Amino acid sequence: MIEPEIAAAQRRLSPLPSVPRTRRDYRRVARWWELEARRRGQSYLDCLRYAANMRWAAERVAETGPGTWADLKSRT
């Protein structure tokens, strides 16, 4: 994917929820960060880590129900 394609895909995902709570919210945020990592900027590893965290949150929501990041962490 080239830069304009990445930007277009990210725009399709926007607006992102300011406080993700549902599985769909977390998956959308994860996808946005995965696209950001494809830009291969200086912090692309951080982008991948954040995307993985959002995928973990999406799975937690599937198991325990909707909630903020802090809610999900407290349920572990």
Side-chain angles (χ1 to χ4, degrees):
M1 223 179 226
I2 59 175
E3 186 77 26
E5 293 171 339
I6 292 169
Q10 286 178 316
R11 278 193 300 278
R12 283 192 297 273
L13 291 170
S14 293
L16 293 175
S18 59
V19 180
R21 295 181 189 279
T22 67
R23 185 171 192 223
R24 183 173 184 236
D25 291 344
Y26 284 110
R27 290 175 59 88
R28 284 182 66 184
V29 173
R31 180 66 181 139
W32 192 94
W33 281 106
E34 289 165 352
L35 290 166
E36 189 65 21
R38 285 186 167 194
R39 293 177 192 263
R40 301 294 286 181
Q42 185 176 10
S43 60
Y44 83 97
L45 291 176
D46 291 334
C47 294
L48 290 175
R49 189 175 307 111
Y50 194 66
N53 286 341
M54 294 295 105
R55 294 249 180 239
W56 172 87
E59 295 309 311
R60 283 300 289 159
V61 166
E63 295 169 6
T64 65
T68 64
W69 179 262
D71 294 337
L72 298 175
K73 289 293 285 181
S74 71
R75 295 179 200 166
T76 57

